[in-house]
Amino acid sequence: MGQIAVIGAAAASPEEYETALTVGCLIARHHETLVCGGLSGVMEAACRGAREQGGLTIGIVPDTGNGNGFLDTVIRTGLGHARNVLVAQSSDAVIAIGGSYGTLSEIAIALKTKRPVFGLKTWDIEGVVMCATPEEAIIRAVNAARLFPLYRSPRAGPGSP
């Protein structure tokens, strides 16, 4: 099971919310773990979709709160925007939905650390693979996550490759 980050604005448009809901459902159906910033908007919608399909959700929140109500695991960082680094680097692939500057920072970190980024109506920058539908984004993200160098035995012990 890989970890796919879903990133986007906490103040999502209705279209972004619906897209994120679908993305979350599809992540769960592919038996991947959803990682996000744990707040509202795109993050909440993706978590809601994943939970409705029995998926696992992890929120890396910027403060000491509990995040949205659809999180299975909450990682309270107290780091503010610096937690964006943790979201990006905790993933094997990233799906960006809409978003503002926080999303842009997560995209930049993901690209800098060689994580594949798939976009749905988000920042059109070099390195982001734009997708037409949530289904396309999921297929690409799942395949990329399974090829990502860190996608090996996540619980491998010392001396493991």
Side-chain angles (χ1 to χ4, degrees), residues 1-3 31-33 56 92 151 154:
M1 182 183 322
Q3 295 185 172
H31 308 289
E32 304 293 333
T33 299
L56 177 63
D92 300 308
Y151 190 81

Side-chain angles (χ1 to χ4, degrees), residues 2-155:
Q3 295 185 172
I4 298 177
V6 177
I7 61 174
S13 71
E15 180 184 4
E16 291 168 340
Y17 193 92
E18 286 302 315
T19 298
L21 187 67
T22 301
V23 165
C25 287
L26 293 170
I27 288 172
R29 287 183 194 159
H30 281 87
H31 308 289
E32 304 293 333
T33 299
L34 189 151
V35 177
C36 70
L39 300 179
S40 60
V42 164
M43 298 165 277
E44 177 182 293
C47 290
R48 178 179 157 203
R51 287 284 296 276
E52 287 175 356
Q53 297 298 312
L56 177 63
T57 61
I58 299 171
I60 302 174
V61 299
D63 50 29
T64 58
N66 291 323
N68 71 61
F70 300 99
L71 293 169
D72 291 304
T73 301
V74 178
I75 300 171
R76 299 175 188 94
T77 68
L79 294 174
H81 294 292
R83 73 78 155 80
N84 292 356
V85 173
L86 302 176
V87 172
Q89 290 198 264
S90 294
S91 67
D92 300 308
V94 176
I95 297 176
I97 302 168
S100 191
Y101 295 126
T103 306
L104 179 60
S105 74
E106 288 169 314
I107 290 170
I109 294 160
L111 293 174
K112 180 74 174 168
T113 58
K114 308 291 189 224
R115 268 76 174 169
V117 179
F118 303 95
L120 292 163
K121 296 185 180 177
T122 191
W123 293 88
D124 188 8
I125 58 174
E126 184 180 344
V128 175
V129 177
M130 290 302 193
C131 299
T133 65
E135 292 79 9
E136 179 188 357
I138 289 299
I139 289 168
R140 288 175 173 264
V142 167
N143 288 334
R146 291 180 179 164
L147 294 173
F148 189 72
L150 295 180
Y151 190 81
R152 303 194 197 283
S153 177
R155 293 194 167 89

